[in-house]
Amino acid sequence: MDCFELSSQSPYELLLKAVFSIPISHYVLGFLFLLSAFLYHFLEIHFFQNLFTGFRGQPVSLTFNSCCDLYQEVVSKCKILNGRFSSTPWLCSPHLQTAFLQFFGRAPVCNYRRQIFHLSDGGNIALDWLTKVDVEKPSIERLDGVQRDDKSPILLVVPGLTSDSDSAYIKHLTFKMTKRGWNVVVSNHRGLGGVPVTSDRFYNAAWTEDVRKVIDHLHTQYHQAPLFVVGLSLGATVLVNYLGEEGFNTAIAGAAVICSPWDLLICDRFINRRLVQKFYNRALTIGLIDYAKRHQTVMSRLADWEGIVKSRTVRDFDHSSTCVLAGLETADTYYRKATCTSYIGNVTVPLLCISALDDPVCTREAIPWDECRANKNVVLATTHHGGHLGYFEGMTAKSLWWVRAVDEFLCALNSSSLIHGKKRKITTVHRPLESSIDQAPYVNVGEDGLVSAFSNEQSGEVGSQQNEQPVEDDKAGDSGVVNGTMQLGANATIQLDPAPEPVFDAMMAPVKRRLNQLSRRSKISMWVLAYVAILTTWPFLGSALPMLFKKKLRNIFSLKR
């Protein structure tokens, strides 16, 4: 009878009875478990991975050229870069690292001394100085600042997007380097640091003129002190672009870039891809809109103010503001112009690059591994974790790993022979994104991309004299002969030999170009070519040699008779 009654009930009724019979506490525990699993993957937490490795962290991966003197003389002596990075156990997530830096930071107290640097276009930049005396005895008033004959190293810091000297990660770096006895100066971007915009020019990732003027000013005022530069986030992109544009002309002794976006076009696609990245996109956009509102009087006159206020993403803001102010057509045009990966090959000073593979803003997809490996002046250090400018370490999360790494690197570099050697002369600096067609002697690359024979009566040696014209007077794309050297449109300086006759030069140009190409090959290649030439001509030589020797033998025997 009981079995009959049970079978007569609907299976759904039985299921509901079973569901309601489970205690509510079990549902709460199940919900918390599912929520924890979701957050663990959503926030990319790696607590259990660290637990299984005993919280020893992951080793730092170094990418450099096999002939890199920077690694042999400097980086190989840095224990931090050759060690491991272990993040704070309760901040074992790139998002927790990044958010903790933004909202807490635990930055030390820094009493800056401000200097207003006036630019030629009417703009102003706030230079915030921090010296050793300011850190050790902050109560003492120092009106003299840094003496011009001071030989202590100077560190110039280029902040990131909408950041200034008051940002937590900037204070961590400036305080650490000042404790080492260095003089640190933060170059705030235009309109940041409480300084109003006094011209029609705003900063962006492709604009390197401001940092160029500041570096020239510091080198002129304190020419006896070695000058180093550290760029952070967007400031890292500006710094690499500057180093690539200047080549050997820069006065910088060494540099470091931290968490650079590298390729802005790839990063733009990345922060619009996943839900968690869209939060960062929105947060950056809010910061940019606040920056625009602080300078509404100028911004509303020059840019699309309605589009700025309605911006939902960084791309929207760049379309309505950055592109309009910089005179660029689209946001993609700006991103391609500001991308610094193509400039890495032109960097001629010791450069340390630090990036986190789990950076939630600057994706690992944009890291230029091959470009860094090809340049002997660059060492790329990548870590598995760290977030964007976070890198909190230790149980108390009071220090940033990258700050200690930069401190050790710059101190080792300052005491090495790399910055005390004689600076090399300019030889060839190719502009990025341009053709790499053979530009050996006797070859002229025209503006239309055609290669033709070149003739000129001037002669000289490569890099025999360095162009001392001011940077403002240099016009990209112009070509001419200066001090016995020819400057092509690609800013390449090549050797000129006395020109032969025009007709003969035109006939011999292809042959000489091929010989120049072959001369750059290894000796093994030359022997291979000789071997192939012998094999291909042997049938003719093999038939001609017996006939030749037979005639000579006949002549010898006829003379003896």
Side-chain angles (χ1 to χ4, degrees):
M1 189 69 180
D2 293 338
C3 296
F4 179 76
E5 290 179 356
L6 290 174
S7 62
S8 62
Q9 292 182 354
S10 172
Y12 296 103
E13 294 179 359
L14 297 175
L15 181 61
L16 288 176
K17 288 182 179 179
V19 169
F20 285 116
S21 64
I22 300 175
I24 297 178
S25 59
H26 292 188
Y27 285 107
V28 174
L29 292 176
F31 173 76
L32 293 177
F33 176 79
L34 294 177
L35 179 62
S36 300
F38 170 76
L39 291 178
Y40 189 90
H41 289 85
F42 183 76
L43 297 178
E44 303 176 53
I45 299 175
H46 45 84
F47 176 81
F48 291 110
Q49 292 91 322
N50 294 351
L51 180 63
F52 293 150
T53 58
F55 294 98
R56 295 176 59 246
Q58 299 291 335
V60 180
S61 177
L62 298 177
T63 302
F64 54 90
N65 191 282
S66 59
C67 302
C68 180
D69 293 335
L70 177 61
Y71 175 79
Q72 300 296 335
E73 296 191 22
V74 180
V75 179
S76 62
K77 302 176 183 178
C78 298
K79 296 181 179 180
I80 298 175
L81 292 174
N82 289 277
R84 293 170 171 265
F85 167 66
S86 179
S87 61
T88 301
W90 46 276
L91 292 176
C92 51
S93 164
H95 309 290
L96 296 179
Q97 288 267 353
T98 306
F100 190 81
L101 177 66
Q102 178 66 29
F103 296 106
F104 301 98
R106 296 188 174 181
V109 178
C110 297
N111 298 314
Y112 297 105
R113 290 179 295 104
R114 172 153 294 184
Q115 173 188 1
I116 301 300
F117 180 65
H118 302 283
L119 298 165
S120 58
D121 60 0
N124 295 322
I125 293 178
L127 301 179
D128 291 334
W129 287 86
L130 190 68
T131 61
K132 185 177 181 180
V133 176
D134 299 327
V135 173
E136 294 179 348
K137 300 177 181 179
S139 59
I140 298 179
E141 292 289 340
R142 290 195 65 194
L143 301 177
D144 53 346
V146 180
Q147 300 296 326
R148 289 197 175 188
D149 57 350
D150 192 348
K151 297 182 180 180
S152 301
I154 296 178
L155 176 63
L156 173 65
V157 181
V158 185
L161 183 67
T162 67
S163 297
D164 54 21
S165 58
D166 198 41
S167 301
Y169 65 93
I170 298 292
K171 289 184 175 181
H172 277 282
L173 177 62
T174 55
F175 187 84
K176 181 73 172 180
M177 298 307 300
T178 306
K179 291 289 265 183
R180 286 283 188 182
W182 290 41
N183 297 318
V184 184
V185 54
V186 182
S187 177
N188 298 283
H189 298 294
R190 298 193 187 207
L192 292 173
V195 176
V197 175
T198 56
S199 66
D200 294 346
R201 170 67 65 178
F202 288 79
Y203 80 97
N204 59 69
W207 179 253
T208 60
E209 194 62 26
D210 288 351
V211 68
R212 179 178 290 104
K213 295 294 185 182
V214 172
I215 290 174
D216 293 342
H217 165 72
L218 294 176
H219 179 64
T220 303
Q221 295 292 322
Y222 314 101
H223 59 277
Q224 296 187 20
L227 178 61
F228 300 85
V229 185
V230 173
L232 304 129
S233 190
L234 192 76
T237 299
V238 176
L239 177 56
V240 175
N241 285 335
Y242 162 79
L243 293 176
E245 292 173 355
E246 289 296 293
F248 291 99
N249 292 326
T250 181
I252 296 176
V257 292
I258 315 298
C259 295
S260 173
W262 297 114
D263 193 317
L264 269 65
L265 191 61
I266 295 178
C267 290
D268 172 67
R269 305 292 192 267
F270 175 72
I271 61 176
N272 287 284
R273 186 180 303 169
R274 298 174 54 197
L275 178 61
V276 64
Q277 266 70 44
K278 291 182 180 180
F279 283 112
Y280 291 100
N281 195 353
R282 183 57 184 164
L284 292 173
T285 306
I286 293 174
L288 289 171
I289 294 176
D290 292 341
Y291 168 77
K293 288 182 178 179
R294 289 198 297 268
H295 310 288
Q296 181 177 354
T297 305
V298 182
M299 189 77 76
S300 59
R301 176 173 55 87
L302 300 175
D304 180 10
W305 182 253
E306 183 178 357
I308 292 174
V309 176
K310 294 181 179 180
S311 297
R312 306 292 297 176
T313 63
V314 175
R315 186 182 185 85
D316 295 339
F317 182 89
D318 289 334
H319 175 75
S320 302
S321 174
T322 308
C323 294
V324 178
L325 295 173
L328 301 173
E329 295 82 4
T330 63
D332 284 353
T333 304
Y334 163 60
Y335 295 148
R336 291 190 179 95
K337 181 179 178 61
T339 294
C340 64
T341 53
S342 55
Y343 283 97
I344 296 177
N346 293 342
V347 175
T348 59
V349 300
L351 175 64
L352 172 66
C353 309
I354 297 179
S355 295
L357 299 182
D358 65 350
D359 194 318
V361 179
C362 306
T363 173
R364 60 186 296 178
E365 301 170 8
I367 297 178
W369 307 90
D370 294 337
E371 288 83 350
C372 293
R373 187 180 294 108
N375 193 329
K376 298 179 181 180
N377 302 303
V378 179
V379 172
L380 171 64
T382 55
T383 59
H384 287 79
H385 307 297
H388 186 69
L389 295 172
Y391 285 96
F392 284 99
E393 59 182 355
M395 289 299 298
T396 58
K398 289 185 178 180
S399 64
L400 307 183
W401 176 87
W402 67 263
V403 172
R404 294 196 304 115
V406 170
D407 169 40
E408 185 182 38
F409 169 77
L410 292 181
C411 291
L413 179 62
N414 184 43
S415 60
S416 68
S417 60
L418 293 180
I419 66 171
H420 298 292
K422 186 178 181 180
K423 183 173 287 190
R424 293 171 291 177
K425 300 293 184 176
I426 301 177
T427 54
T428 303
V429 178
H430 298 284
R431 285 184 176 271
L433 302 181
E434 290 192 0
S435 174
S436 59
I437 299 175
D438 179 26
Q439 296 185 10
Y442 310 101
V443 178
N444 180 29
V445 182
E447 296 181 355
D448 55 356
L450 297 178
V451 180
S452 59
F454 177 81
S455 62
N456 197 305
E457 296 181 359
Q458 301 268 354
S459 63
E461 297 180 357
V462 179
S464 59
Q465 295 184 9
Q466 187 173 355
N467 190 4
E468 297 179 356
Q469 293 294 328
V471 177
E472 296 85 350
D473 297 336
D474 293 339
K475 297 181 180 179
D478 294 343
S479 61
V481 178
V482 179
N483 296 334
T485 58
M486 187 192 74
Q487 297 178 341
L488 298 178
N491 279 1
T493 305
I494 65 175
Q495 180 180 353
L496 300 180
D497 288 344
E501 294 297 327
V503 178
F504 180 74
D505 183 33
M507 294 174 57
M508 294 301 297
V511 178
K512 291 182 178 180
R513 182 167 64 251
R514 296 303 177 188
L515 291 176
N516 287 327
Q517 293 175 352
L518 292 176
S519 63
R520 286 192 295 267
R521 305 295 182 183
S522 64
K523 295 181 179 179
I524 298 177
S525 301
M526 297 296 293
W527 283 110
V528 171
L529 289 175
Y531 177 72
V532 173
I534 293 174
L535 289 181
T536 54
T537 58
W538 181 251
F540 304 99
L541 293 176
S543 59
L545 288 176
M547 297 177 62
L548 179 62
F549 284 111
K550 186 180 293 185
K551 290 181 178 180
K552 288 188 175 182
L553 290 174
R554 287 179 181 177
N555 294 333
I556 292 172
F557 288 121
S558 62
L559 291 174
K560 289 182 177 180
R561 292 178 182 176

